[in-house]
Amino acid sequence: MPPIVSISKLDKYFGRLHVLKNISLEIPEKQVVCLIGRSGSGKSTLLRCINFLEEPSYGTVEVDGLAVHSGGKDKSYHQQIHAVRLKTGMVFQEFNLFPHMSVLENVIEGPITVKGMNKDQAIALAEKNLEHVGLLFKKDEYPMRLSGGQKQRVAIARALTMEPRVMLFDEPTSALDPELIGEVLTVMKQVADEGMTMVVVTHEMGFAHDVADRVIVMAEGELIEDGEPDAIFNHSTDPRTKALVERRPVDEGRKKK
Amino acid sequence: MGILSKDQSAPKSQAELLYEAQVRKERRFRINVAITWGILLLVLVLLFSGPIKIDKEFIKNNMLFIAGGLWQTILISVLSILLAILLALLAALGRLSSFPPLYAVSTFYVSLIRGTPLYLQIFFFFLALPQLGINLPGLWAGVLALGLNYGAYMSEIFRAGLASVGKGQREAAMALGMTPGQTMKRVILPQALRFAIPPVGNEFIAMTKDSALVSATGFVHELMWRATKVGRAQFHNLEALIMAAIFYWIVTLILTFVQNKIEAHLSKGDR
């Protein structure tokens, strides 16, 4: 089976800082990949390069058969990026729900505005996904009235309602109070169980260990290890990996903000 | 000691007592402010009914004439603020543009208008343009001058409003596949405008008073023009200006009231 995400020879600079160094990576369909690494290792940047929220400086990103070479300037390049974004759904650390829209409006916004879906159809789809994350009963609330965990579950429903081929999660639990992390991870596990291809940047080692098919360790802009969770968590010889998986680094991501 | 409530059967908790004391203190403050306002107003009224001689006959005869200017004052203010909002929004968007000519036009406009007096700009549209063969009707020249001027100042308000919307909002919209235009229209602008409504209200109130400057050209018969016309003609400037002042004040009070209501509504819970 051809990979659904394929990154080749990707480099990313922030000014003079070389944050991603010649990354190549293939992700098969339905795989759940966790990207782990210390803050500043480049894992979030790599994730954001997949849907071009960060533009790679060099290299190629291919999603579901659509290859985009970095550095384009013309209209077709932007159309390609747009097409890639339609194939990917993203969940952010800070949720980024639209505060001026109700929960339901947040979820139907994409299908209606971007895909031109008619409203009834969008509502049916949105309600199905809200039900899925257990928040249909909150559909008329505004995000301000939700807990962090609820906000993140709505954000997941919003991304799923675009029916993406790949879901990208950027530290989805790092901004949450510890007691709210579980409900979000449960929903993510559920999405994984349904066969969604997922790329998850996380500090939740428990989730990476239990749910991921594959764990990739990043350090200083490079992929230093790549393997099954058991190999990474129990048999790694790399001191950086060992330092990462030995402590319970639940809090690290939160400190960043 | 202290003030006991009527219902002494249930003893009150300390928190309740403290809260009540706080409420009483705030109420006492408001009452004292209101009383002082009343006294100041009374002093003004007494001054003008005794020591300062004013011609009541003149007031009676010219009240309606001056009041007739209210309509023009309000009309010119409303039209000008609409133009100003449009220009301010365009200037703010231009300021955010990465396209050099747009950025340049926006900053040039704001710099030029802020660098010259409003009074001059008003005369420019009334008196200088006709020399070039451009004759704008009085009202429109006034609206153009005020709108252009306030638009330049208000562009800062909209710029701050746009800046108040976090980067994450734009990213979330883009990740959903929205185009930059859709992102602006559906996600950024609604939030930015909400932020901008209270300060725009302030500008509108300021503008109703600055519209008086338009009277200087003699082409728009709004409040100020009417007051100076009858005041000068009959040498009763004092009475005429007092009447105009009262009208402006009343309009401002009403607008401030509406403004406060809107602000309270916006700051309430679910945004």
Side-chain angles (χ1 to χ4, degrees), chain A residues 19 79 104 123 147-148 160 253:
Chain A
V19 290
Q79 283 167 347
L104 184 68
I123 289 176
S147 73
L160 286 174

Side-chain angles (χ1 to χ4, degrees), chain B residues 10-247:
Chain B
K12 296 196 166 158
S13 72
Q14 198 159 17
E16 266 176 282
L17 289 171
L18 281 172
Y19 173 73
E20 281 176 7
Q22 180 70 27
V23 168
R24 270 199 304 277
K25 196 175 156 197
E26 280 165 15
R27 196 172 46 205
R28 212 178 308 130
F29 180 81
R30 279 199 304 275
I31 289 171
N32 284 334
V33 168
I35 290 172
T36 315
W37 261 69
I39 292 171
L40 289 172
L41 210 55
L42 195 66
V43 167
L44 268 185
V45 171
L46 286 176
L47 267 180
F48 286 110
S49 54
I52 301 175
K53 288 272 168 287
I54 51 171
D55 186 340
K56 296 194 182 79
E57 198 59 23
F58 173 85
I59 291 180
K60 210 183 293 170
N61 292 339
N62 293 288
M63 176 79 95
L64 277 179
F65 177 74
I66 294 180
L70 265 174
W71 162 241
Q72 287 278 306
T73 291
I74 292 169
L75 181 68
I76 200 170
S77 302
V78 169
L79 291 175
S80 303
I81 199 79
L82 291 177
L83 176 63
I85 288 173
L86 180 72
L87 289 172
L89 201 53
L90 291 176
L93 290 173
R95 190 69 190 269
L96 292 175
S97 170
S98 54
F99 183 56
L102 274 185
Y103 182 90
V105 167
S106 158
T107 47
F108 189 86
Y109 158 61
V110 173
S111 172
L112 177 66
I113 296 293
R114 299 219 301 192
T116 51
L118 171 58
Y119 204 53
L120 184 152
Q121 290 160 14
I122 289 170
F123 273 100
F124 185 86
F125 283 99
F126 278 109
L127 302 178
L129 284 187
Q131 200 179 318
L132 304 172
I134 304 167
N135 285 296
L136 294 171
L139 179 73
W140 289 109
V143 166
L144 213 55
L146 278 171
L148 272 169
N149 183 277
Y150 270 72
Y153 284 94
M154 280 167 50
S155 69
E156 285 301 314
I157 294 174
F158 285 103
R159 196 156 78 95
L162 291 168
S164 76
V165 182
K167 175 167 143 271
Q169 292 289 309
R170 192 180 305 264
E171 290 188 344
M174 289 190 332
L176 283 175
M178 287 194 200
T179 62
Q182 289 169 335
T183 302
M184 186 52 74
K185 186 168 148 235
R186 302 287 308 166
V187 176
I188 311 290
L189 272 185
Q191 296 184 60
L193 291 182
R194 193 153 202 160
F195 177 96
I197 284 172
V200 166
N202 282 333
E203 294 292 309
F204 182 57
I205 292 169
M207 184 184 264
T208 53
K209 288 165 291 159
D210 275 353
S211 70
L213 290 173
V214 172
S215 69
T217 61
F219 289 101
V220 184
H221 301 171
E222 45 68 78
L223 271 178
M224 188 67 187
W225 181 86
R226 288 172 185 242
T228 47
K229 181 182 160 71
V230 293
R232 279 185 187 142
Q234 302 174 36
F235 199 66
H236 275 301
N237 282 310
L238 179 67
E239 291 85 350
L241 289 176
I242 288 172
M243 277 193 279
I246 290 172
F247 284 127

Side-chain angles (χ1 to χ4, degrees), chain A residues 147-151 153 179-188:
Chain A
S147 73
Q150 290 172 336
K151 281 182 197 166
R153 283 149 65 199
E179 72 270 21
L180 301 176
I181 290 175
E183 62 186 78
V184 172
L185 294 181
T186 305
V187 168
M188 286 169 63

Side-chain angles (χ1 to χ4, degrees), chain A residues 48 51 53 82 85-86 88 90 92 96-101 109-110 113-114 142 144 158 162, chain B residues 167-179 182 186-188 190-191 194 269-271:
Chain A
R48 289 159 57 85
N51 68 350
L53 284 187
H82 183 252
R85 287 181 180 154
L86 287 181
T88 53
M90 188 161 205
F92 299 85
N96 296 343
L97 293 179
F98 304 132
H100 58 299
M101 299 181 190
E109 180 63 27
T113 302
V114 178
Y142 280 81
M144 206 195 191
R158 178 173 72 175
M162 289 300 282
Chain B
K167 175 167 143 271
Q169 292 289 309
R170 192 180 305 264
E171 290 188 344
M174 289 190 332
L176 283 175
M178 287 194 200
T179 62
Q182 289 169 335
R186 302 287 308 166
V187 176
I188 311 290
Q191 296 184 60
R194 193 153 202 160
D270 62 353
R271 43 162 305 181

Side-chain angles (χ1 to χ4, degrees), chain A residues 69-86:
Chain A
H69 307 285
S70 70
K73 292 270 176 283
D74 56 345
K75 206 173 166 200
S76 78
Y77 174 68
H78 290 287
Q79 283 167 347
Q80 284 176 333
I81 289 179
H82 183 252
V84 164
R85 287 181 180 154
L86 287 181

Side-chain angles (χ1 to χ4, degrees), chain A residues 185-226:
Chain A
L185 294 181
T186 305
V187 168
M188 286 169 63
K189 183 168 185 315
Q190 199 180 311
V191 175
D193 289 344
E194 282 152 16
M196 176 63 76
T197 309
M198 290 170 47
V199 187
V200 185
V201 169
T202 188
H203 294 278
E204 287 297 324
M205 296 304 155
F207 180 83
H209 185 275
D210 299 340
V211 181
D213 300 309
R214 175 181 176 191
V215 176
I216 295 174
V217 186
M218 289 190 68
E220 276 116 45
E222 291 179 287
L223 312 182
I224 60 167
E225 280 202 88
D226 181 349

